[in-house]
Amino acid sequence: GAVVSQHPSRVICKSGTSVKIECRSLDFQATTMFWYRQFPKQSLMLMATSNEGSKATYEQGVEKDKFLINHASLTLSTLTVTSAHPEDSSFYICSASLGGASYEQYFGPGTRLTVT
Amino acid sequence: ILNVEQSPQSLHVQEGDSTNFTCSFPSSNFYALHWYRWETAKSPEALFVMTLNGDEKKKGRISATLNTKEGYSYLYIKGSQPEDSATYLCALNRDDKIIFGKGTRLHILP
């Protein structure tokens, strides 16, 4: 199957700083990439959908100025958590797809963010 | 609120036994249902994408059925093996949204 990498796998940062997470599709060109977060014992919650070269579509309740998404190429999307707070501590995971949400998604391994 | 429910939350199965679990979802405006397997410390892996009522899909010992009219899908595992231990997620695609269930955590006992 298609491979998606995510970096870093784990990051600890201080309150007020920004953290960038990269999501790369290694062996295919992804039309669409998705960003999720997961709180303990909860389901994956879609944060935003991004298409290469256009602005991301954010889900209701997700602050676009806080979670900056850039999808500069068909193989790379980045999520930047700006001015991080402890409540942003979570597991963030990306996926990539050859089409929209109805297509099979290929997931990265996720990033564990801890904000102190 | 659009809810995707999976049951049971957790399941212990003896190696060699067969098992199944459920994904329930609102049946209106259905578009597609996805099943994923998520092993610890790995990426979720796509198992099936199902779109038609009555769909049955199979991959090795794993199969799934779909009933869009009553809003449920079953995932079956035949002759469980240790490598089947994982969390199985279903996700509903509807109205251009994708909503995941919390998953069923499957433990295979040797």
Side-chain angles (χ1 to χ4, degrees):
Chain A
V3 179
V4 174
S5 71
Q6 198 171 329
H7 179 80
S9 59
R10 193 177 290 268
V11 59
I12 301 172
C13 71
K14 292 186 177 179
S15 289
T17 60
S18 295
V19 174
K20 181 186 282 189
I21 303 170
E22 289 189 352
C23 180
R24 292 180 186 272
S25 57
L26 298 184
D27 52 0
F28 70 103
Q29 293 187 322
T31 305
T32 309
M33 286 186 169
F34 305 86
W35 286 96
Y36 298 86
R37 68 189 293 184
Q38 185 184 37
F39 291 108
K41 298 187 180 179
Q42 298 299 311
S43 53
L44 294 175
M45 297 291 294
L46 181 64
M47 297 175 68
T49 303
S50 74
N51 294 294
E52 182 262 340
S54 61
K55 289 185 179 179
T57 303
Y58 289 80
E59 295 300 301
Q60 195 172 7
V62 178
E63 298 176 59
K64 60 183 178 184
D65 293 331
K66 180 165 184 63
F67 298 100
L68 300 178
I69 291 172
N70 184 277
H71 194 160
S73 75
L74 284 170
T75 59
L76 173 64
S77 177
T78 59
L79 168 68
T80 302
V81 183
T82 62
S83 188
H85 287 278
E87 57 263 30
D88 297 326
S89 298
S90 188
F91 183 75
Y92 293 86
I93 190 167
C94 70
S95 70
S97 167
L98 292 169
S102 60
Y103 284 72
E104 198 168 285
Q105 294 185 35
Y106 302 98
F107 282 85
T111 297
R112 173 73 59 191
L113 170 64
T114 304
V115 184
T116 61
Chain B
I1 296 176
L2 191 58
N3 268 339
V4 175
E5 302 287 343
Q6 288 189 249
S7 64
Q9 286 186 6
S10 181
L11 189 56
H12 291 77
V13 174
Q14 202 68 43
E15 183 178 348
D17 288 352
S18 297
T19 187
N20 65 84
F21 29 91
T22 309
C23 175
S24 303
F25 51 87
S27 56
S28 59
N29 298 333
F30 174 88
Y31 193 79
L33 188 89
H34 304 247
W35 279 101
Y36 292 88
R37 174 170 59 201
W38 195 356
E39 295 179 65
T40 304
K42 293 187 178 180
S43 307
E45 172 199 355
L47 291 173
F48 307 113
V49 179
M50 307 173 80
T51 56
L52 298 175
N53 184 44
D55 251 355
E56 289 189 32
K57 297 221 170 171
K58 188 175 180 186
K59 186 185 282 190
R61 294 179 291 99
I62 303 176
S63 60
T65 60
L66 178 67
N67 184 322
T68 60
K69 292 185 178 178
E70 296 183 33
Y72 64 84
S73 175
Y74 291 137
L75 190 82
Y76 300 90
I77 301 178
K78 187 177 176 183
S80 304
Q81 298 297 309
E83 59 265 28
D84 297 329
S85 293
T87 296
Y88 291 82
L89 300 173
C90 72
L92 174 70
N93 177 214
R94 193 188 97 157
D95 297 333
D96 226 20
K97 293 196 178 294
I98 186 155
I99 300 102
F100 277 82
K102 291 184 181 180
T104 291
R105 190 165 185 84
L106 177 64
H107 305 265
I108 305 301
L109 306 172

